[in-house]
Amino acid sequence: MRIRLLGALSALLLLPALVSAQEHEHGDNNHAKMEHPVTVVVIVRHAEKAAAPANDPPLTETGKARAEALVAALAGAKVGAVLHTPTTRTRDTAMPVARANNITPEVLPLGGGVAAHAEQVAQAVMKHPGKTVVVVGHSNTVMRYIEALGGPKNADLCDHQYNGIYTLVIAHGETRLVAGQYGPDNPAPTQACPGMAAPARQ
């Protein structure tokens, strides 16, 4: 299994340099560090799902392998919080990372529409300033999470897209997005989808 995390992993590995530069710019003192903590948010879609039951399917074997690949991809990232929606597929994608970091995941309720849900997720994320937060969502929520956290607006993911990993670095009122890939290759697309275009970065 290949793990391709060039963009997102680079953001995590370069985080100390980013923090150092920001502290130099804003004053390297404890007050500045507490007032402007650097928060890293790693957002993924749930891994591959089975066809049934249609209302709440579990992960396939490929999906389970992807969930384990996420653990390997985030090794050394010092994950401090894990959030997912109340579905079997997001829970089972998030659980290996949570176990690896001795974290009890936070379950984020659905309902009220995608926009309202994304705002609730953003609020939950920002309750963990200065930490690395992993969020597992759905094809129609991942990009909305990014936008709610200050990132760019992009089309929703296609149904066949599972291997995207999106790292947001939030500091001093700015949000930087780096998109990468991890785990097994995506399955072949079954239909055209506007989300097939590469996501914008900032």
Side-chain angles (χ1 to χ4, degrees), residues 61-191:
E61 290 305 312
T62 300
K64 294 175 183 177
R66 187 179 301 284
E68 293 298 334
L70 185 59
V71 177
L74 296 177
K78 298 181 180 179
V79 175
V82 177
L83 290 64
H84 65 82
T85 65
T87 64
T88 299
R89 55 193 181 276
T90 55
R91 179 198 67 200
D92 290 352
T93 303
M95 193 56 69
V97 171
R99 288 199 195 101
N101 291 276
N102 297 313
I103 294 170
T104 299
E106 300 175 34
V107 180
L108 305 167
L110 293 168
V114 174
H117 168 66
E119 287 298 330
Q120 291 177 338
V121 171
Q123 292 172 15
V125 166
M126 298 316 294
K127 292 179 181 178
H128 301 281
K131 295 183 179 180
T132 296
V133 183
V134 176
V135 183
V136 182
H138 302 263
S139 61
N140 67 333
T141 66
V142 165
M143 294 303 170
R144 303 290 77 79
Y145 297 162
I146 292 171
E147 186 178 358
L149 286 163
K153 182 176 182 178
N154 288 293
D156 289 338
L157 297 174
C158 300
D159 188 59
H160 73 284
Q161 290 179 313
Y162 292 97
N163 70 348
I165 184 166
Y166 307 92
T167 302
L168 298 172
V169 179
I170 304 172
H172 303 295
E174 296 182 356
T175 300
R176 302 183 186 185
L177 169 65
V178 182
Q181 297 177 336
Y182 79 104
D185 291 333
N186 285 324
T190 57
Q191 58 185 3

Side-chain angles (χ1 to χ4, degrees), residues 32-44:
K33 293 176 183 177
M34 289 187 294
E35 188 175 355
H36 301 286
V38 177
T39 304
V40 177
V41 189
V42 180
I43 303 174
V44 297

